[in-house]
Amino acid sequence: MTFARIALVIAALSAAAFWFLRDPAAPPGPTAEQALPDLLTQVYRAYALEDEAAIFDALSQAATGDVVTDLYLQRRAAQVADQAEDGQTQILSVEVYDTEMLADPNHVRAAWRVVGRVTHAAHVHERINLYSADLALARTDDGWRLADFVLTQADRDAAIEFEGGE
């Protein structure tokens, strides 16, 4: 038997063993907890878009049902507030720093940090906002989506200031 055939037989046996030893109840892919950082990042990336239809479409890739509309309306309210303050916000990073699985495996209590740069006419500052929420995630054919979102804390603090223009 040639080396190539031996390697092929070993690969086939390994795949068969993996198939039979896997947990059939476990769905493929990441868990809800593992998917959460990417979903939150998708939400904030959607917020960075300018076209209203593009924002709504991008939010639809991270959320489902009424959560899409709720997130979209929250963004519109933030845009109105930014315009009233003559400011613009740029998201620099989103970091999930604590998660706890709740009784249902698709429910996660999470805390995350959002670092952004706020530009006003006279100055620029970076802001760190801390949030926590109880989240329900739903597995769809296209992956996980936020299905429910109950904000439990929002700490908006201009924590990092620096002088400068633009």
Side-chain angles (χ1 to χ4, degrees):
M1 200 181 259
T2 68
F3 178 75
R5 286 186 185 189
I6 292 172
L8 184 61
V9 168
I10 290 172
L13 289 174
S14 296
F18 175 77
W19 178 258
F20 286 111
L21 296 176
R22 70 175 172 73
D23 178 2
T31 64
E33 185 177 23
Q34 292 167 334
L36 184 60
D38 286 339
L39 291 174
L40 290 173
T41 299
Q42 286 177 354
V43 168
Y44 288 100
R45 282 185 184 149
Y47 287 168
L49 300 172
E50 302 220 2
D51 179 70
E52 298 301 318
I55 294 169
F56 197 86
D57 289 345
L59 289 172
S60 297
Q61 298 301 307
T64 186
D66 291 340
V67 176
V68 176
T69 304
D70 292 346
L71 291 171
Y72 176 79
L73 292 175
Q74 287 175 24
R75 177 58 187 145
R76 290 297 296 142
Q79 284 177 319
V80 169
D82 279 351
Q83 289 170 352
E85 294 178 12
D86 192 30
Q88 292 183 330
T89 303
Q90 174 189 10
I91 301 301
L92 302 176
S93 68
V94 179
E95 175 194 357
V96 176
Y97 62 87
D98 189 26
T99 59
E100 173 189 348
M101 294 306 296
L102 300 176
D104 180 329
N106 294 342
H107 285 77
V108 180
R109 178 166 292 143
W112 66 97
R113 174 182 305 111
V114 179
V115 178
R117 180 170 291 135
V118 181
T119 304
H120 299 283
H123 71 285
V124 175
H125 61 268
E126 288 190 359
R127 172 168 285 179
I128 298 174
N129 293 341
L130 303 176
Y131 300 96
S132 60
D134 290 343
L135 307 161
L137 281 73
R139 186 183 289 275
T140 69
D141 291 340
D142 296 323
W144 289 101
R145 300 284 189 271
L146 294 170
D148 194 18
F149 190 101
V150 178
L151 193 64
T152 56
Q153 177 192 5
D155 183 8
R156 295 174 178 94
D157 179 31
I160 305 173
E161 297 280 348
F162 62 91
E163 297 297 321
E166 305 154 59

